[in-house]
Amino acid sequence: MTETGSTSAGRPVMSGRQPALDGIRAVAALAVLLFHVSMEAGTALQPGFLGGLLSRGEIGVPIFFTLSGLLLYRPWAAALLTGDPEPAAGRYLWRRFFRIVPAYWLVVAVALLLWGGAHRGDVWTWAKMLFLVHIYDLDPWWFGLGPKGLGQMWSLAVEAAFYLTLPLMAAALRAFALRAGPGVAARAKRLLIGLAVFGALSYVYTIFEYFPEYRPWMNVWLPRSWTFFVPGMALAVLTVWARAEDGPARRLGAALAASWGTLWVIAGLAYAIAATPLTGPRFVGLGGIWTAFSEQLLYTVIAFCLVAPAALEPEGVTRVRRVIGGRMMSRLGEISYGVFLWQFVVIYLWYDFTGQQPWSGNLLVNLVAIGAITVGLSALTYRWVEEPARALIRFVPHRAGPGSPNATALRQKS
């Protein structure tokens, strides 16, 4: 397979919007949507390889986690390796709040008002859902991962836990890396070693999920998913290191970016393996410890191989950007958060409107209709809720001195 995409400099992009990453985000959102629609239709539960492929569309969640690790940890990596100021925790959390909470609260209100039943007036239910702590309730009134219309929000609760603990993780990694001295390469290697430890702890945590007895609620807590956040954080380190100095990191980054076809083939093969019984039954959280390990490992490989070429793409127009970062995919990536939020509400309303029963088939028609409605709602939410909410971030004082990331980006362009 012929693969190109590096420039003579070979430095990965770190500033401005990256259309290729938007495209990856769109793929993840559409994978989760296909997964949920095919589960509701019952097609993903049918025996055979097609059912297995559809049942692993949940891979979109680990891809989202990897993207979060990449984009959110990159400023901390830049602070340590290139001398940029560390992100202010208050501003960072303020940005995260206005990025996810307003649109999420809207969907929670709609779902609970539609299907909350006797719990519509339950203050505790509203508090748990609004503040994303419902996954820590070990005896909830709902069946499954959340109230009707909100079952997918467990992964957003994991994201929120990652947001809150990332400054602590970054501080621990910084303390470990500083022991290596002032060299960029030495510090970057230390960061990668520390991240490998965090990734390994995810598997240690999984052991305690199953022993001495199975505790399914641990499946949706943050440590179980560190293995998915860590590849993105490692890519953040590699991108900063590759931009900071010419050497092995830049050559590795350029090689990974240029090998986008090979990496995506590896991701596809890993996905095909994950679609087999190796990763357990087709409902999340079922199976044993070995199927859990297999799922974690394969999903980690898939997420890394999909995200790495886009994360490490060099400046200029690349094949990765042409393949995955076109106008339509970039736009879908922009509104992908709304696609994630609205999909179950749309699925249940569509089934009520059409009088269909769950697991009654008709996947293609349902997917087209549900997909179109979800994308339309997501575009409206992006325009009228997400963008105005993000505008509120400007009211937090922010100093952009000569060592800030913005100034660094300008120096690199000059």
Side-chain angles (χ1 to χ4, degrees):
M1 183 177 295
T2 302
E3 298 157 337
T4 62
S6 61
T7 65
S8 58
R11 298 189 303 174
V13 177
M14 274 188 58
S15 59
R17 194 168 196 96
Q18 292 181 247
L21 290 179
D22 282 338
I24 297 294
R25 190 177 288 110
V27 169
L30 295 175
V32 174
L33 178 63
L34 175 59
F35 166 64
H36 287 142
V37 175
S38 60
M39 276 290 186
E40 195 69 16
T43 311
L45 301 174
Q46 293 177 357
F49 192 53
L50 176 60
L53 289 175
L54 293 172
S55 72
R56 297 308 174 196
E58 60 186 355
I59 183 59
V61 172
I63 295 170
F64 278 131
F65 290 166
T66 297
L67 287 169
S68 291
L70 165 69
L71 297 172
L72 297 182
Y73 182 60
R74 199 156 58 183
W76 271 282
L80 180 63
L81 299 180
T82 65
D84 287 344
E86 281 200 345
R91 180 174 175 81
Y92 156 75
L93 292 173
W94 184 262
R95 289 177 64 91
R96 289 297 91 203
F97 178 88
F98 282 107
R99 177 65 187 95
I100 70 168
V101 168
Y104 168 70
W105 279 358
L106 172 63
V107 177
V108 167
V110 170
L112 288 182
L113 290 174
L114 284 173
W115 300 298
H119 299 277
R120 287 192 188 97
D122 180 9
V123 174
W124 179 228
T125 294
W126 281 91
K128 285 187 294 186
M129 296 308 305
L130 291 176
F131 293 100
L132 286 165
V133 295
H134 61 289
I135 62 173
Y136 308 109
D137 186 347
L138 303 187
D139 188 26
W141 57 262
W142 55 80
F143 176 77
L145 295 173
K148 186 174 181 179
L150 302 172
Q152 79 278 34
M153 301 305 182
W154 70 269
S155 61
L156 192 59
V158 174
E159 279 269 5
F162 176 71
Y163 296 162
L164 291 172
T165 57
L166 179 57
L168 300 177
M169 291 179 66
L173 291 166
R174 176 183 176 83
F176 179 63
L178 286 175
R179 296 171 64 89
V184 173
R187 289 184 176 184
K189 290 175 184 177
R190 280 256 178 167
L191 287 179
L192 294 176
I193 292 171
L195 287 169
V197 171
F198 272 106
L201 287 176
S202 189
Y203 296 85
V204 174
Y205 171 89
T206 301
I207 295 174
F208 290 98
E209 180 184 339
Y210 286 89
F211 294 100
E213 62 183 13
Y214 181 45
R215 287 163 285 199
W217 56 86
M218 293 178 65
N219 190 59
V220 293
W221 290 356
L222 173 61
R224 178 71 147 75
S225 295
W226 273 337
T227 182
F228 308 133
F229 289 103
V230 161
M233 297 173 72
L235 287 170
V237 173
L238 186 57
T239 56
V240 175
W241 185 7
R243 283 199 68 92
E245 61 180 24
D246 191 9
R250 185 171 297 179
R251 291 192 293 272
L252 175 60
L256 290 173
S259 300
W260 58 274
T262 300
L263 288 174
W264 288 355
V265 167
I266 293 172
L269 292 174
Y271 186 87
I273 296 171
T276 70
L278 181 66
T279 53
R282 295 179 183 178
F283 284 104
V284 175
L286 300 181
I289 187 170
W290 293 112
T291 58
F293 282 158
S294 299
E295 179 186 278
Q296 284 177 292
L297 181 59
L298 287 167
Y299 284 7
T300 300
V301 170
I302 295 167
F304 174 83
C305 289
L306 280 177
V307 174
L312 296 166
E313 66 171 351
E315 297 171 340
V317 179
T318 66
R319 287 196 177 182
V320 171
R321 187 175 302 180
R322 285 198 293 265
V323 170
I324 199 70
R327 181 177 299 177
M328 184 180 72
M329 292 298 290
S330 183
R331 178 57 178 164
L332 285 173
E334 283 183 347
I335 65 171
S336 60
Y337 182 51
V339 173
F340 166 80
L341 292 177
W342 283 113
Q343 56 188 263
F344 267 131
V345 170
V346 175
I347 287 171
Y348 293 134
L349 288 176
W350 174 254
Y351 270 71
D352 288 343
F353 175 74
T354 58
Q356 296 180 78
Q357 295 298 314
W359 303 353
S360 57
N362 206 24
L363 171 61
L364 185 57
V365 173
N366 288 333
L367 180 62
V368 171
I370 291 169
I373 297 170
T374 302
V375 168
L377 267 177
S378 302
L380 291 174
T381 304
Y382 182 82
R383 174 65 181 86
W384 298 107
V385 179
E386 294 181 56
E387 285 192 319
R390 276 202 295 272
L392 296 176
I393 296 170
R394 72 185 62 169
F395 295 107
V396 177
H398 177 56
R399 180 180 62 86
S404 71
N406 291 337
T408 301
L410 290 175
R411 288 200 305 270
Q412 290 169 339
K413 290 179 180 180
S414 62

